[in-house]
Amino acid sequence: MTLRFVDACRLPNRFGEFTLHGFEDEATGIEHLALTHGDVTGEAPVLARIHSECLTGDGLFSERCDCGYQLEAAMRRIVDEGRGVILYLRQEGRGIGLLNKIRAYKLQDQGADTVEANELLGFPADMRDFSICKPMLDHLGVRAVRLMTNNPRKLDSLADLGLHIVERVPLQVGRNPHNTAYLDTKAAKLGHLMKPAKAYRPAPPDAQGADEVAVSCQVQ
Ligand SMILES: [Zn+2]
């Protein structure tokens, strides 16, 4: 995969002042974004969110999931902390795409859960690919992250891709009557860590002597 950085611009939003960085994955033609706040270079681990696009949640205020709430909370925390990064990956609906996501939602309206719906449509439960993240973070000068996520499989795949994750920061926000079954399915079938939060321990350091540190887990 080849990552091409295109350009960056100011992006003030209602949470604070961000810089928006545009990238293209030349292998797929997919355009990805990064938002940074403050100076994210240097040795100190950076508060980070790796967020897969959810147009319905992020842009249309859907309460069927927790994505919009997580994106908003991540931006607030980054601004509170003074520095941080959000990778905004264009892989809608856990990678099945926007229109298939509508089909999956329809199946959920008829009683399927989020995993069953993807499988009824012939897709795996989760098709996301995080291989673009390391080159994006390298471009931004981010060396190590404190990652806001509830998803241990995301942590494992990112660690396998060479990301230096020093801490998992839980991001449990936005539970409501419309998404509570969905969140419970993510916990039961996809292993998401909902309360009580558990510690995450990354894979052992590689042979090149990566300086992984013991991981603590903040409780909200
Ligand atoms: Zn969503």
Side-chain angles (χ1 to χ4, degrees):
M1 158 247 311
T2 314
L3 178 72
R4 184 170 73 94
F5 167 70
V6 178
D7 216 337
C9 66
R10 287 181 57 240
L11 190 82
N13 65 17
R14 66 179 187 267
F15 308 108
E17 176 81 23
F18 289 85
T19 301
L20 180 63
H21 311 256
F23 300 87
E24 182 186 2
D25 179 346
E26 291 188 311
T28 61
I30 297 174
E31 299 164 331
H32 297 289
L33 302 172
L35 287 144
T36 56
H37 174 79
D39 181 1
V40 296
T41 64
E43 293 297 329
V46 177
L47 187 61
R49 167 81 184 153
I50 293 176
H51 192 90
S52 295
E53 176 183 284
C54 174
L55 185 69
T56 47
D58 301 338
L60 301 178
F61 314 104
S62 168
E63 301 218 314
R64 296 191 70 130
C65 61
D66 54 346
C67 306
Y69 294 97
Q70 289 187 311
L71 183 61
E72 180 172 335
M75 287 186 179
R76 286 188 196 284
R77 288 186 198 176
I78 283 169
V79 171
D80 284 350
E81 190 154 301
R83 67 196 285 263
V85 59
I86 295 172
L87 301 188
Y88 193 88
L89 306 179
R90 309 288 306 287
Q91 41 187 355
E92 179 77 41
R94 292 201 300 274
I96 67 174
L98 183 57
L99 299 182
N100 284 322
K101 181 180 176 181
I102 292 172
R103 294 188 177 104
Y105 275 167
K106 169 82 176 297
L107 291 169
Q108 291 171 59
D109 290 342
Q110 295 167 343
D113 69 33
T114 182
V115 170
E116 291 165 348
N118 275 28
E119 290 171 351
L120 280 167
L121 292 170
F123 298 112
D126 193 342
M127 293 179 64
R128 291 178 297 180
D129 175 3
F130 295 106
S131 57
I132 202 81
C133 298
K134 178 72 162 59
M136 289 174 78
L137 292 173
D138 286 346
H139 171 87
L140 298 169
V142 174
R143 306 236 185 109
V145 296
R146 296 163 47 230
L147 192 68
M148 292 181 274
T149 183
N150 305 319
N151 182 353
R153 300 202 310 182
K154 185 195 275 186
L155 290 168
D156 288 340
S157 33
L158 289 168
D160 288 346
L161 291 165
L163 250 72
H164 186 181
I165 303 168
V166 301
E167 182 184 355
R168 179 180 83 86
V169 180
L171 190 59
Q172 293 172 19
V173 288
R175 185 179 279 268
N176 67 63
H178 303 288
N179 69 15
T180 193
Y182 162 83
L183 294 177
D184 290 344
T185 299
K186 285 210 297 189
K189 291 194 171 179
L190 297 174
H192 285 227
L193 303 171
M194 300 301 177
K195 286 175 183 168
K198 297 174 190 167
Y200 166 70
R201 189 165 294 280
D206 63 30
Q208 296 166 349
D211 53 342
E212 297 283 355
V213 298
V215 167
S216 65
C217 187
Q218 293 182 349
V219 176
Q220 283 191 103

